[in-house]
């Protein structure tokens, strides 16, 4: 069994032990606001990306995500439904060609406890979200006594969707997370075009989305959205702690096929652009660099609860 596979399998045990230190949040907390109870497993692979000049280096990336969201019927109050869950996002980055080398092993984890409250009436859909997270490298997970407040994240969201007329709704809200790299608050504002029971067009900052259901079993989605995070990372000796920051935009297309009432599979293909990395090298110098645009694809399985 490979080292990375062993690390991935023991994560639930590490997750439980880390709860005594802090709660935590997921990387796409504000990206998909209308969640449903489910267990989701996703893998994603990027084409090798070249760093822009003057760096003659290359990045390879594989990403894995496992999440479970559950309806909390006992916590429904004042017309609000509640959904809580656990999330583990793991990114395996290979940074080749840097001299001195990067000050991290490239195995980056985010452990998350998201919690959503939502309410729907004839004229408004309202959602609140709260999540707490730990984002760190694998050697930080193996040595939790080394973790400090810099590994902790708190993400927040609020979104109102109100009716304009039969076909249009407007959106207004605010989010706080690391999707743009550094932690920041940013507005959610725009409109939604309803296309009967089959389709939806979301024209809003920062997420654009078009979704269409060809049938009860087949759905197609187009998305434009920011993707990023910031991790607290350590060198091999655990003597140097620094931050590793990644940010990008993603344009993607996804096909979701509902095999059975409880199970779906999906395939996504996309392009990452405006990619940037910021991290420390072994000599303590801090590097800010950009990546060429890259193609990526994802495959996933969803169990609807």
């Amino acid at each position: 069994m490979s080292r990375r596979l062993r690390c991935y399998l023991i994560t639930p045990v590490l997750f439980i032990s880390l709860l005594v230190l802090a709660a935590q949040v997921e990387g796409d907390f504000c990206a998909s606001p209308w969640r449903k109870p489910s267990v989701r497993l996703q893998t994603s692979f990027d084409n090798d990306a070249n760093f822009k000049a003057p760096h003659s280096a290359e990045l390879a990336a594989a990403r894995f995500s496992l999440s479970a969201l559950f309806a909390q019927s006992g916590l429904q109050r004042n017309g609000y439904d509640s959904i809580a869950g656990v999330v583990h996002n793991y990114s395996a980055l290979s940074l080749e060609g840097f001299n001195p080398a990067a000050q991290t092993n490239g195995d980056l984890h985010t452990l998350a406890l998201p919690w959503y409250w939502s309410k729907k009436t004839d004229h408004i859909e309202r959602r609140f979200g709260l999540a707490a997270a730990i984002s760190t490298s694998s050697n930080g997970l193996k040595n939790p006594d080394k973790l400090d407040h810099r590994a902790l994240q708190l993400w927040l969201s609020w979104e109102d969707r109100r009716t304009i007329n039969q076909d249009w709704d407007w959106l207004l809200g605010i989010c706080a997370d690391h999707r743009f790299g550094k932690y920041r608050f940013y507005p959610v504002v725009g409109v939604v075009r309803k296309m009967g029971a089959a389709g939806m067009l979301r024209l809003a900052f920062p997420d654009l989305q078009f979704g269409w259901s060809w049938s009860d079993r087949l759905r197609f989605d187009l998305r434009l959205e920011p993707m990023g995070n910031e991790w607290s990372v350590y060198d091999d000796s655990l003597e140097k702690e620094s931050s590793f920051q990644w940010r990008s935009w993603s344009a993607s297309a996804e096909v979701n096929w509902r095999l059975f009432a409880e199970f779906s599979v999906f395939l996504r293909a996309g392009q990452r652009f405006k990619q940037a990395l910021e991290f420390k090298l072994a000599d303590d110098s801090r590097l800010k660099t950009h990546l060429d645009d890259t193609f990526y694809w994802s495959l996933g399985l969803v169990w609807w609860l």
Side-chain angles (χ1 to χ4, degrees):
M1 186 179 293
S2 67
R3 177 178 63 85
R4 283 181 177 171
L5 181 57
R6 288 198 304 270
C7 181
Y8 194 75
L9 290 176
I10 65 173
T11 294
V13 178
L14 291 170
F15 180 75
I16 293 172
S17 65
L18 286 170
L19 293 184
V20 299
L21 299 178
Q24 125 165 339
V25 85
E26 69 180 280
D28 61 349
F29 183 69
C30 289
S32 304
W34 311 110
R35 302 301 185 99
K36 296 180 180 179
S38 62
V39 176
R40 180 182 296 262
L41 175 65
Q42 179 176 341
T43 61
S44 178
F45 300 93
D46 291 22
N47 276 5
D48 293 352
N50 294 314
F51 288 85
K52 294 186 182 295
H55 309 290
S56 57
E58 191 175 72
L59 170 72
R63 297 178 172 89
F64 306 90
S65 177
L66 176 62
S67 64
L69 297 175
F70 305 95
Q72 300 294 312
S73 57
L75 297 175
Q76 295 178 358
R77 294 290 185 275
N78 300 321
Y80 282 89
D81 296 325
S82 178
I83 290 180
V86 294
V87 176
H88 177 206
N89 293 327
Y90 166 49
S91 297
L93 307 182
S94 176
L95 296 159
E96 302 291 342
F98 282 103
N99 188 17
Q103 202 179 92
T104 177
N105 60 8
D107 290 332
L108 308 176
H109 297 259
T110 295
L111 302 175
L113 288 177
W115 205 328
Y116 304 92
W117 297 267
S118 61
K119 182 178 183 179
K120 184 176 181 179
T121 66
D122 292 338
H123 302 291
I124 186 171
E125 291 182 51
R126 174 170 293 163
R127 183 196 73 117
F128 298 97
L130 171 67
I134 298 170
S135 285
T136 187
S137 53
S138 60
N139 50 359
L141 283 183
K142 295 174 184 177
N143 298 273
D145 57 303
K146 294 288 186 179
L147 298 177
D148 59 20
H149 68 279
R150 287 170 288 191
L152 307 182
Q153 298 175 342
L154 178 65
W155 293 8
L156 308 167
S157 69
W158 158 66
E159 182 176 302
D160 271 9
R161 176 173 166 176
R162 294 178 180 267
T163 300
I164 299 175
N165 54 42
Q166 183 177 356
D167 298 321
W168 291 91
D169 296 340
W170 61 264
L171 298 175
L172 181 65
I174 191 168
C175 277
D177 58 25
H178 288 77
R179 294 173 68 201
F180 293 94
K182 289 288 188 183
Y183 186 82
R184 59 177 288 189
F185 286 85
Y186 55 90
V188 176
V189 59
V191 294
V192 173
R193 173 71 159 89
K194 295 168 287 188
M195 303 176 184
M200 180 273 293
L201 176 64
R202 177 185 173 107
L203 299 173
F205 177 85
D207 300 285
L208 305 180
Q209 181 182 5
F210 170 72
W212 186 265
S213 296
W214 296 103
S215 67
D216 292 340
R217 293 185 177 273
L218 193 63
R219 179 176 174 84
F220 177 73
D221 283 280
L222 296 173
R223 301 184 70 99
L224 176 66
E225 58 194 336
M227 289 185 173
N229 201 3
E230 185 174 24
W231 297 264
S232 178
V233 299
Y234 299 84
D235 65 353
D236 291 338
S237 64
L238 296 173
E239 294 180 355
K240 295 180 178 180
E241 187 273 344
S242 60
S243 65
F244 188 100
Q245 184 185 131
W246 169 67
R247 61 184 184 274
S248 74
W249 283 84
S250 166
S252 65
E254 178 179 304
V255 176
N256 190 301
W257 181 26
R258 197 144 188 165
L259 297 172
F260 309 103
E262 297 85 6
F263 289 95
S264 297
V265 294
F266 62 89
L267 177 65
R268 178 186 298 176
Q271 185 87 358
R272 301 190 198 277
F273 58 98
K274 292 188 178 297
Q275 296 190 86
L277 296 178
E278 184 178 339
F279 55 93
K280 272 191 175 183
L281 301 176
D283 64 355
D284 286 334
S285 62
R286 189 150 190 91
L287 177 67
K288 297 181 180 180
T289 184
H290 292 270
L291 290 167
D292 291 335
D293 297 347
T294 57
F295 171 82
Y296 74 95
W297 63 273
S298 299
L299 180 65
L301 174 68
V302 183
W303 174 26
W304 301 102
L305 301 176

